[in-house]
Structures are given as C-alpha cells and as structure tokens.
Amino acid sequence: MRLDWRTLRSWVQRLVGRAVGPRPLVDTTAGAGRRVSFVDRGPLASPETVVFHALFWAGVAFYIASHWAIVRNVWPVHGYAARGPALLVIDSLALLSWIGLLFALKRGGYRGRGLLLLMPFLLFMVGRPSVFHAFSDPAYLPSGGETREEARARKANTARMSAATRVFAGTDRGTMLGLDAPDDERGNELIADWSLSPGTAALVVAPVFVFLGLLIGRSRDACRFLRQSRWWWTGAALLGIVALGFAGHRIDALRGLTPWEVLLPVFLLGWASTLGEYTFNFGAVSRLNPKAFGEMVFFGALPSATLVFIPWTRDLGLSVGLILASAFMLVVSTRAKWWAVTMGIVWMSLVTATLMLDNRASTRFDLAYDTYRDLGEMTGTDARSWAARVYQVRLFDLNVIEGGLLGEGAGLGYGETAPNAADDGFVTLFAAQWGLVGSVALMLLYSVFIVEALVEAAQMRGAFERSLIVGLAMLLAVPLWLAFLGGVRAVPLTGVPVGFLAHGTSKLVASCLSVGLIIGLSHRRAELTREAL
Amino acid sequence: MLRVVIVGLGALAALLIVRSLRKAAAEGGDIWAIRIALLVVLPLVGVFALRHALILLQGQEIERLAAPYARYGDPRGALGARAQLAGWLLDCTGEDANAWIGYATENGILSRVAFAGGAGASFVADPEDRFDYTVDRLFAYEMERPRSLLERLQPHPVGTDIRLTLCRTLTRRAHEVLRAAGSTGVVVIGDVETGAILAYAAAQAPDEPPIGVKQYLTPGSINKLMVAGLWWDEGWGDTTVECPASVEAGGRDIRNFRGIALGRLQAPAEVLTFSCNTATVSMAARLRERLGERTFQELYRRAGFTVYQGERADRTDTDFWASGSDSWVRRMSPPAAQVRLSSGTTLHEWGQLSIGQGPIDITVLHEVRLIQAIGNDGIMVKPTIEWSEANNPQEVGRVFRRGTARRLMEAMADVVARGTARSAQAHLGDIGEWSLIGKTGTAQVAGRPDDGWFAGLMVDPDGKPIYTVVVYLREGGPGGSWPARIAAELVSDAIGLAHTP
C-alpha cells in the first residue's frame, strides 16, 4: 500500500466519517445548477459535516459547562434566586428540546442549508447561560416581597459567608464566626420557587415554533394560501395590534411588554406576498398602478406606521426593525438601485419622525453621545434627574470595561447589577463575562446566520421567497445591530431584545417562527433542485 | 477552557462568513443580497468591535467621568464593597480575640466590626465612621489584598490580616483615663527600642485633624531637655545657677511659673527638676554666647526639626513613619517639627525658645520620638504602628551622646521623685520596681488657659527605659501635674503588656 498524502487524508476522512455518521446531515454548498451534496457519499464525511458537528458539540459543551460553572462556582458564593432550581430544569429541558428539533429534522430529511438551522441553536447555546446566570442571581429580580436593596445585601452577605467559610471553617476564627453551623442554622435556607412563567415555558417550546415555521415554509400550498389571503390576516393582525395596544394601555397591563412582536413575521409575509405579485410594477415608477400602490401602502407602510404613529403601540426598536426589513425586501425583490436610494431616504425620514414623536428619543441620543455631563455645573434637581437617566448606560459601560479582553468567566463579575442586563443590555452582560473577544465572536456567529440567509435568498428565483427570507433575516439582524451597537453606545439604546440571546418571550417566538420560515424555504429550494437533477 | 471554546467559535464563524460569501459570489444569484452582506452586515461587526475596543481603551477615563454619578446609585460598587471580606486588623497580641477590627456573625449576618468601640475611634477604627484618617481606612488597600495566590483566583478573595503594634487593652485604658480627665488631649505610649506606638488615645472632635499627629503645639518646658542636653553634650559640667522670679532678656522679662524664685539650683539637673524658666534662659544665653547659634541648629536638626529663618517652612515630614503603606504616609505624616533659629534671633526670642515658647512648633508624635531617643541612649528611631516594621527598627540617628541621655533620664527621674511631677507618684499604683520618669511642660497659648504636657519614660526594675509616654492636655495646665497623673495611671497597664515587638 502506498503511504502518501491522499491515503492519509482518506484514512482521516474515514475515521471522522465513522465518528459523525456516514451521511452528511446537511448541505451548505448547494448552488443553483450545481450538483448538491445531499447524495450519500458513503463512509467519507464532508468538511461541511465535520464543521457542523464541531459547531454543534462546541455549542452543547459550552452550554452545559457554563451552566455547570454557574451552579458549581457561583451559586455557592452568591446564593441563587428562589426560581434558580426551576430555571436549571427549564434550561435542561430547553437543551433537550433543541437537540430534539435538530434530531427530528435530520430524521425527517431536512435538506436546506445546515448553518441556517444550526446557528440559532448555537446562538441559544452560547447566549443563554448569561441570561440563566442573571435570572438565577438572587438580586437581579428579587422575589418574595424583598426589595432590590435587601436582596443585594443578602447576596453580599452570602458572598462574605462563603468566602469566610472557605478560608476559616475548621479554624478558631471559623468557630468564633459560627461558620461551622449548617446553613439552616444560619438562616440561609432557601425555599425554591417551582412556579412556571410563560416566559420560561417558551424556552422549552420555542423549537416547536421553528418546526411550525418550517412546515409553512416548505409547503408550496401553504405559502400560496397565505399569499392569496394576505388581506385578511394582515388586516386582522393590524386590528389586533391596535386593539391590544389600546386595551393594554387603558388597563395598564402591558408594562413595557410588546406582545405584538410575534406578528412582525406575519406582516413581512404579507409584504413579501405583495412583492411577489407586483415586483414588475414596483420595478419602475411608470409601471406603478393604483392597485399596486395601494398594496404597497397597506402591506409595506401601514404596519410600520402603526408602530410609529399610534401612541400606545409606538416602539422605536420594533419600528426601526420593521421599516428596515420592509425596505430591504423591496430593494431585493425589485433589484432596483433607485429603490435603494428612495428607501434610504424614506427610512431616514421615518426614523427621524419616530425620534421626533418619541419623547425619549432625544434623551437617548444624549445618553449615547453626551453621556457623562459635568454634574457640578447642574442644579441639584437637574443633576439628580440626569444621573437617573445615565444610570443604566453607566452600568452598561462598567460591564464592558469589567469584561476587558477575555471577560470574567461564566457567571462571574457584576454584569447583572445593571438594570435589564438580561434584555436591553444583554451584550454588556455577555461582555462582562466573555470580554471583547467573546462579544465579537457572538456577533460573528449571529452574522453567519444573517449572511447564510442572504446567500440563500440570493439563490431564490421567486421574488416572494427572496424578499421574505431577506425580510425575516433583517427582522433578526436589526435588533442585533441596535442592541449590540447600543450596548457600546455606537447608536442610541432602543431597548430591543435580540432573538435567541436576550430574554424576551415574544421575541423568541417571533425569531423561532422566522427561522422556521427561512429553513422551510431553504429546504423547499433544495428539494426542487434535487428533483431537477 | 470555555474562553477557548468561544474564541474558537468566533474564529470559525469568521471563516464561515468568508467561505459563504466566496461561494455565493462564485455561484452567482441575486447580487443585492450579497451586497447587503458585504456592505451592511460585516461593516457593522467592525463598528461594534471598534467601539467596544474604544470603550476598553478609554476605560479609566470613563470610570473617572462616571465616578461622580456613583452617589446617585452604585449597585456594582456597593455590592463589591459589601461582599468583600477584608483582612482583620489585629492588635499587638496578634490574637483574634483582641482584634481592632474583624468580623462577627449575628442572626446569620457577617459584619465588619470595630471591636474597640470609642477607644480606637480617633485613630484605628471608628464604629460610627466619622473619622476619615483611621488606620482601617488608610490600610484598606493592604487589607483587601488577597491573602494568597490561590485566593486571587476566587470571585471574592479573602483579604490579608494586618498586625499592628497598637495594643487594644492599653489603648482602651488610656482612652478611659483621658476621658475621665474631661479635656481634649492625647496619650501616646511607645516602645523605646523599636519606636512602635503601643497606644494612641485621643479625646477630640471628629471634625478636627488628628490632634496628636497633625496639630502644631508649643512644647513648653519639655524643651528645656534640649537646653540641658546640649549643655551636657558639649561636656559642660554641673554648676550652680540662680533661679530668680524673673529675668530680663532682650529688654523684656521672662518669669517663672507663678512668679516664684527658687534660689540657687544645681544646673542643669535641678533646673529640670523644678522647671526653672529663668535659670534655663540664663543657661541658653550662656550656651549661645560660647557656642553660637549653629550648635543649637545642629542639635535641633539631629532631633528631627526643620530649622528655618524668616517665614515658617510649613512642610510635611514624609520621612517620619516607618511604614509600608503609601496611604498612611500620605495622609498621616505630621507637619515637620520646626524652629526659627538664626544669628538674627533676638535675646528675648532666644530666651523664650529655651523654655519652649515662641517660634517652635512640634507635634505630640515628635515629642514621643524625642523622648524615645533619650530612652534609647540618644538614638532616635522612626515611629511605626506596623508590627512588621517594628521588627526591623529604622534608625534616624543619634540625637544625644549616651552619657547625656543617661543624665537627662536621671534628671527626669528627679522630676517625678521631688519635682514638678511628684504628685504623679500617688497615682502609680502597684508597679513593683518599675518607675516613671519624665518632664512636665506648660505651653502658653494666647487667648485660652495653658496647655499641659508630660513626656516620660517607664523604666523597668533593671533601670532600662522600656516605654515612652507622652500626655498632652489642651487647657490642662498650668504645670504638667495633671498630665503626669494620667501617665502614672497607665504605668501598671503598660508593664503588663506581654506582646511588644
């Protein structure tokens, strides 16, 4: 037998192939008119499969090890919230749920782009431990009638006691301090809270929404039905938002929540349907008839206008996301440069209008770009007022600084002391624990998904599919940009959570639905290409 | 390990993006989607990375700018401070039971406690946190330092203990005696051989600077030790001098305490014993006449004074303490002891200086150091409150010859035996063969009653001076008998000390 480079490579490939299975799970190389790689290659594993498995196992390992580090190293030091044990169970179930989804799709013969499926899973695996840490922290969201101040004092005392026990237990000083007594004698026993909130339950069922989106996206009939009946359900969704916003505002039940976020993919579906039907008309002003223009206003502008102009549904982050997504969809479907310019102008105008209508908008700008004003030059009231506004941004800054280059580690540091660290300021919480390198890595991972979605869109022949994928990708990308860039004060903070990373039930559901639709369309294209071959 | 995973994931993600875009470009398809990826997605990753890095680079500046905002809420700082387990501040015994500051548990709450209460308030640790210059505050950095390399790796490392030379029981006793006197003042007890401060008790208002460290005082008759010391140092023998009720110096009278004449006295010993102002003025004048001002200047310099001409120098004596703490040196270095002495000094001023009045400024701690030098055969060492420093005393230099120091101590013994501090004998209690020697002082301060001083040494049965004791009482004069009584009451407590450096 000849022992050359090719033989060696063949052995390695056989070895890897046996480890990861003989058949590649996915195809990331599928291109129009090319031979796709879903065909069985025998015992040899493709580089794509190896990368897929490496990412999968790295994500699972990171998720489990981070949770373990928090439970093993942080909980004994700081204590944990009453809901901590329940969260641990939920997170374990969520892991199984996601793995179950991937396994089900593999067994079900998913043939779309693998990274589109893997990246949301991976983002959840990498981002969730930080959120788990925040919500299991005893002082992040105090419960049982305890004030935040009291919870922090208790947390600090637990930290002291654990440090003292570590060093002095069994010594004269330990005896003097009563450190040898069990926890319950010290009054530190904790009653776990096993009640389940909708938000935590959503973590487990989120993959179901991916599956639901996949079922819709992969079915030509379902898509056709949705396209044809778009007037009905888009109208119903618009009325639903307004009614929900009005009612919630009147009874003061929303408390900053935006449940209509789950409807954003629905609006994009309606807009993509219109674009699919009127691409030719939208391609030039001369071809824009009244019917097409009417649909453009109804499906392209009205949902965004609802989030900009109606006071009780107004939301800066969501409106910017929806407007940008709609604009990108129009540009991608028509492939017209002048639309890009026009949409740029319209977008700028709408953002300006949003900022002007939003009372907090100018303050947000000041908080980002003129943060640390000299308090000595203000009156006492002004100084107090400005300090209160800067409070969150200041703690976000300190989180970033604390993290430095490589961060403090899983569950370590003081990132959770910042208000809303697990949603608005997720990136700063993550930065405190994983530093600049970790934050950039996370953004790159997210960008892999966005780029893959855009590349998939580029392969799509139909304007509906193409624009829908771009719109859904932008629906995930814009919050990412707003939140990440807002966290480091490159843009004003908008308070919009990032799908799969930050806490937010409606965001998670909407994101899962979006991903499901995208991978459904990707799978359908792969199937069509296969049939063609 | 997890950091490696995340770095690896980031690197792989970057490679995957490049690979996806290259493949997409090669395969063709819709150019707009690729343009969005290239012109929007990737540049925004760059903006994020740059802005993040910029915040890190400007970290110190941002922290500086954000610092004033902390008073409107600082959960991060508060949690960090509360969660911290700093080292214990141990007293001279090094035992937890006698610690100045440590921790105690009550109802499951572990709290930092100043165990000495009010006794250590003005110097070591104030339970009410009113003084901003206490040892607890100034040694905070040292006490927060992780006690081992292993501790550094912990989320909340346990800090390092610091052992002080200050003894809690002795300080508490000094504080009790001082408070019983009902006057503002200071008591300092030190170790002769090492310069270690064993007790510092003060009765003072919290808004005042530390009275024994920072406040310039007039030494009064204690300064006669300098005149007598120079007399013997220069080899002048004992002689007889007249002690009239008053003496004329530079055209103005200098009077004895209560205007009494003491007849003929053996100089310099009896001049010290009975603290005769007029005889001291005569002795100082004679020394100046024979030796000139320069000899005086040199003596004062040896004793750690700044000798100046014209305007006061007003500098801080940053070389005063033997200390390993920059914070302590920066905050608690006393103002330099200083004396205005030159050929232009008038006869009257010269006379006043010889009895510790006029342009001479000293702190209680400088007085402690001077007495320590006398007790240590004329060699001065730097004072310290740190046990580690006391075990390696730092010599300042020789102030007096050994013989001179001995003779000064003999005279000081006479002061307590039959001189101005004789009333203290009744307060010595059961001290066996130990004895207290010293010198009283009265400092006249314009606009209020005189201050009282006693600067002495506690001598063991072998005749070896072991401890210095200096008592200063504001408005505690005239005469130093009251401060001397306080010193006497502390001898029995001091000689019971088992742990000194």
Side-chain angles (χ1 to χ4, degrees):
Chain A
M1 182 191 291
R2 281 179 59 194
L3 189 62
D4 58 6
W5 169 243
R6 185 169 294 181
T7 315
L8 274 175
R9 197 178 67 171
S10 167
W11 285 357
V12 170
Q13 283 180 331
R14 279 169 197 278
L15 199 66
V16 173
R18 283 203 189 95
V20 299
R23 189 185 172 88
L25 178 65
V26 290
D27 162 47
T28 57
T29 60
R34 286 205 160 207
R35 183 174 171 276
V36 290
S37 59
F38 54 75
V39 286
D40 198 335
R41 288 180 178 172
L44 294 182
S46 69
E48 286 78 18
T49 313
V50 174
V51 168
F52 185 94
H53 279 85
L55 288 172
F56 173 82
W57 288 112
V60 171
F62 186 87
Y63 187 84
I64 293 173
S66 295
H67 277 76
W68 173 253
I70 291 164
V71 173
R72 182 80 177 77
N73 303 331
V74 181
W75 281 15
V77 174
H78 286 162
Y80 50 90
R83 73 183 78 81
L87 276 178
L88 188 61
V89 173
I90 288 289
D91 279 26
S92 307
L93 292 176
L95 174 65
L96 294 176
S97 178
W98 276 99
I99 291 176
L101 172 77
L102 295 183
F103 184 75
L105 293 184
K106 180 184 177 186
R107 301 299 297 174
Y110 172 72
R111 298 187 186 282
R113 284 181 176 265
L115 291 176
L116 285 176
L117 176 62
L118 182 67
M119 279 301 149
F121 166 79
L122 197 57
L123 290 168
F124 183 77
M125 292 294 109
V126 175
R128 176 63 194 169
S130 297
V131 179
F132 167 74
H133 158 65
F135 280 98
S136 64
D137 183 83
Y140 182 65
L141 281 182
S143 58
E146 205 173 29
T147 65
R148 188 159 281 181
E149 198 54 35
E150 287 167 346
R152 283 198 190 116
R154 190 163 56 80
K155 178 181 171 183
N157 185 57
T158 311
R160 271 186 175 179
M161 287 293 261
S162 65
T165 305
R166 188 185 67 241
V167 176
F168 303 129
T171 67
D172 290 347
R173 190 175 282 183
T175 309
M176 184 179 164
L177 296 174
L179 298 174
D180 302 325
D183 265 6
D184 53 347
E185 282 180 26
R186 291 190 221 158
N188 287 343
E189 75 280 13
L190 186 100
I191 300 163
D193 176 8
W194 293 97
S195 59
L196 200 64
S197 70
T200 49
L203 290 174
V204 182
V205 297
V208 174
F209 289 95
V210 177
F211 197 71
L212 189 67
L214 170 76
L215 290 180
I216 297 169
R218 73 192 286 270
S219 165
R220 187 179 294 179
D221 295 338
C223 287
R224 188 183 298 132
F225 170 75
L226 288 171
R227 287 172 69 173
Q228 285 168 354
S229 58
R230 62 182 178 276
W231 282 96
W232 293 106
W233 45 261
T234 302
L238 279 170
L239 281 173
I241 281 192
V242 176
L244 196 61
F246 180 72
H249 178 72
R250 287 296 294 269
I251 62 172
D252 195 26
L254 293 173
R255 287 171 301 175
L257 300 175
T258 52
W260 44 82
E261 196 168 352
V262 292
L263 296 174
L264 298 193
V266 176
F267 289 135
L268 294 185
L269 203 55
W271 179 224
S273 305
T274 304
L275 288 170
E277 200 163 326
Y278 294 101
T279 302
F280 177 74
N281 303 72
F282 292 155
V285 180
S286 57
R287 298 196 289 263
L288 202 60
N289 59 41
K291 190 166 185 294
F293 184 75
E295 288 219 19
M296 179 186 258
V297 171
F298 185 80
F299 292 103
L302 210 54
S304 303
T306 310
L307 296 176
V308 173
F309 296 110
I310 296 179
W312 50 83
T313 55
R314 186 180 298 153
D315 188 289
L316 185 63
L318 292 187
S319 57
V320 170
L322 190 60
I323 292 165
L324 262 179
S326 304
F328 276 117
M329 287 166 76
L330 181 62
V331 172
V332 168
S333 70
T334 60
R335 298 166 177 163
K337 284 182 185 172
W338 65 272
W339 263 128
V341 177
T342 311
M343 278 293 107
I345 294 167
V346 171
W347 180 72
M348 290 299 291
S349 310
L350 282 173
V351 169
T352 309
T354 311
L355 293 176
M356 287 175 72
L357 288 167
D358 189 344
N359 294 333
R360 298 165 299 176
S362 61
T363 307
R364 290 178 193 214
F365 262 88
D366 289 345
L367 287 174
Y369 305 122
D370 185 19
T371 318
Y372 300 109
R373 295 174 179 173
D374 187 354
L375 295 176
E377 290 182 355
M378 301 181 194
T379 64
T381 315
D382 288 348
R384 204 171 302 113
S385 165
W386 184 248
R389 287 174 184 170
V390 169
Y391 183 72
Q392 189 185 41
V393 176
R394 173 166 60 93
L395 291 171
F396 286 173
D397 275 357
L398 295 178
N399 280 357
V400 173
I401 293 166
E402 182 188 32
L405 200 62
L406 289 171
E408 296 282 316
L412 299 175
Y414 293 100
E416 75 289 344
T417 53
N420 300 324
D423 33 59
D424 298 22
F426 171 80
V427 64
T428 70
L429 175 68
F430 195 82
Q433 295 181 2
W434 303 110
L436 168 68
V437 172
S439 307
V440 173
L442 189 63
M443 198 171 188
L444 282 168
L445 286 172
Y446 221 119
S447 300
V448 171
F449 173 79
I450 298 163
V451 169
E452 281 289 308
L454 291 172
V455 170
E456 179 63 34
Q459 305 292 332
M460 290 290 176
R461 295 187 179 232
F464 167 75
E465 289 82 3
R466 190 167 60 239
S467 58
L468 183 58
I469 290 178
V470 168
L472 293 171
M474 286 300 127
L475 204 59
L476 291 165
V478 174
L480 168 79
W481 297 331
L482 289 178
F484 271 53
L485 296 174
V488 293
R489 290 195 285 117
V491 299
L493 262 181
T494 49
V496 60
V498 189
F500 303 111
L501 297 180
H503 174 70
T505 310
S506 43
K507 171 61 78 182
L508 183 62
V509 171
S511 304
C512 285
L513 210 54
S514 303
V515 167
L517 285 166
I518 293 172
I519 61 173
L521 293 170
S522 177
H523 174 78
R524 176 140 62 96
R525 188 185 67 80
E527 286 286 341
L528 288 172
T529 315
R530 188 187 188 196
E531 284 167 16
L533 282 171
Chain B
M1 185 61 194
L2 288 173
R3 289 185 179 95
V4 175
V5 173
I6 211 162
V7 170
L9 284 174
L12 203 53
L15 289 173
L16 285 172
I17 290 172
V18 173
R19 185 177 163 279
S20 291
L21 289 174
R22 283 186 61 186
K23 272 184 162 277
E27 288 168 359
D30 195 303
I31 195 72
W32 275 105
I34 310 298
R35 278 184 186 165
I36 293 170
L38 282 174
L39 301 177
V40 181
V41 180
L42 296 184
L44 287 178
V45 176
V47 170
F48 171 74
L50 281 176
R51 180 64 197 156
H52 194 146
L54 199 63
I55 288 184
L56 294 185
L57 287 173
Q58 294 174 336
Q60 283 188 340
E61 176 66 4
I62 290 172
E63 282 176 334
R64 188 186 66 77
L65 292 170
Y69 287 77
R71 67 188 148 118
Y72 296 101
D74 184 22
R76 168 183 282 273
L79 186 64
R82 279 194 213 154
Q84 192 172 52
L85 199 72
W88 291 44
L89 201 55
L90 302 171
D91 87 333
C92 62
T93 63
E95 293 166 4
D96 289 350
N98 294 322
W100 284 102
I101 301 169
Y103 288 87
T105 318
E106 194 177 348
N107 298 326
I109 307 292
L110 187 64
S111 312
R112 195 161 172 83
V113 180
F115 294 115
S122 61
F123 197 65
V124 184
D126 181 15
E128 296 173 37
D129 206 26
R130 296 162 301 171
F131 299 86
D132 67 351
Y133 49 76
T134 53
V135 177
D136 182 34
R137 282 197 176 200
L138 297 173
F139 280 79
Y141 175 76
E142 283 78 5
M143 285 191 285
E144 286 165 12
R145 201 159 43 205
R147 57 174 50 208
S148 66
L149 198 62
L150 208 61
E151 278 297 302
R152 279 181 199 279
L153 304 174
Q154 298 293 336
H156 298 284
V158 174
T160 308
D161 294 349
I162 291 181
R163 186 175 178 183
L164 300 180
T165 59
L166 293 156
C167 302
R168 211 176 95 184
T169 49
L170 184 61
T171 304
R172 180 178 283 174
R173 176 76 182 125
H175 189 250
E176 280 170 11
V177 175
L178 192 58
R179 282 180 66 85
S183 180
T184 300
V186 185
V187 175
V188 182
I189 299 172
D191 185 73
V192 167
E193 201 175 323
T194 62
I197 305 294
L198 304 174
Y200 178 104
Q204 66 163 103
D207 55 349
E208 258 189 309
I211 195 170
V213 183
K214 290 288 185 182
Q215 192 165 339
Y216 267 145
L217 302 166
T218 305
S221 297
I222 293 176
N223 205 47
K224 288 170 186 165
L225 291 169
M226 295 293 279
V227 177
L230 185 62
W231 184 282
W232 280 319
D233 247 10
E234 291 299 320
W236 291 19
D238 293 349
T239 184
T240 308
V241 294
E242 195 67 35
C243 178
S246 69
V247 66
E248 186 264 330
R252 291 160 66 186
D253 281 352
I254 293 176
R255 298 163 57 83
N256 274 343
F257 175 52
R258 290 178 184 157
I260 56 169
L262 295 172
R264 297 179 71 79
L265 298 174
Q266 188 84 8
E270 284 188 334
V271 173
L272 292 176
T273 305
F274 301 107
S275 200
C276 178
N277 288 349
T278 52
T280 309
V281 170
S282 305
M283 287 164 61
R286 212 184 299 176
L287 283 165
R288 183 186 193 185
E289 193 181 310
R290 294 264 196 93
L291 306 172
E293 297 82 13
R294 187 177 295 272
T295 317
F296 271 89
Q297 288 174 342
E298 281 167 8
L299 172 67
Y300 276 109
R301 286 198 183 102
R302 287 202 304 275
F305 280 75
T306 297
V307 179
Y308 68 99
Q309 301 174 18
E311 293 300 308
R312 282 161 55 138
D314 283 341
R315 68 174 190 87
T316 302
D317 196 349
T318 51
D319 202 28
F320 183 83
W321 292 103
S323 174
S325 163
D326 290 340
S327 309
W328 178 258
V329 169
R330 209 167 32 243
R331 184 73 172 81
M332 291 297 267
S333 288
Q338 56 187 3
V339 59
R340 189 170 70 206
L341 208 59
S342 68
S343 55
T345 304
T346 64
L347 285 175
H348 180 73
E349 205 168 79
W350 193 267
Q352 290 282 13
L353 277 175
S354 68
I355 58 169
Q357 296 292 146
I360 180 165
D361 303 294
I362 197 167
T363 69
V364 173
L365 284 177
H366 281 108
E367 209 64 90
V368 172
R369 197 171 64 165
L370 183 67
I371 298 302
Q372 175 273 324
I374 292 171
N376 195 31
D377 286 338
I379 294 171
M380 185 181 274
V381 295
K382 286 186 180 180
T384 186
I385 59 162
E386 294 155 58
W387 188 269
S388 53
E389 296 290 335
N391 284 320
N392 300 295
Q394 292 183 34
E395 212 171 275
V396 177
R398 177 171 288 283
V399 182
F400 298 112
R401 293 175 198 273
R402 175 179 288 196
T404 302
R406 292 274 162 86
R407 299 184 82 169
L408 283 170
M409 283 192 283
E410 284 168 15
M412 287 161 73
D414 226 17
V415 170
V416 178
R418 63 187 182 100
T420 51
R422 61 186 175 279
S423 65
Q425 285 186 59
H427 297 268
L428 283 169
D430 182 17
I431 59 169
E433 292 181 37
W434 281 69
S435 60
L436 176 70
I437 65 173
K439 177 74 189 83
T440 57
T442 303
Q444 291 168 344
V445 184
R448 62 175 166 87
D450 296 346
D451 295 344
W453 282 93
F454 179 81
L457 291 159
M458 299 179 194
V459 183
D460 74 1
D462 298 331
K464 186 183 177 193
I466 303 297
Y467 304 126
T468 58
V469 54
V470 171
V471 181
Y472 163 79
L473 288 183
R474 186 183 292 167
E475 301 181 9
S481 56
W482 191 8
R485 283 204 294 270
I486 289 176
E489 287 188 37
L490 294 171
V491 177
S492 60
D493 297 284
I495 63 178
L497 288 176
H499 300 83
T500 52

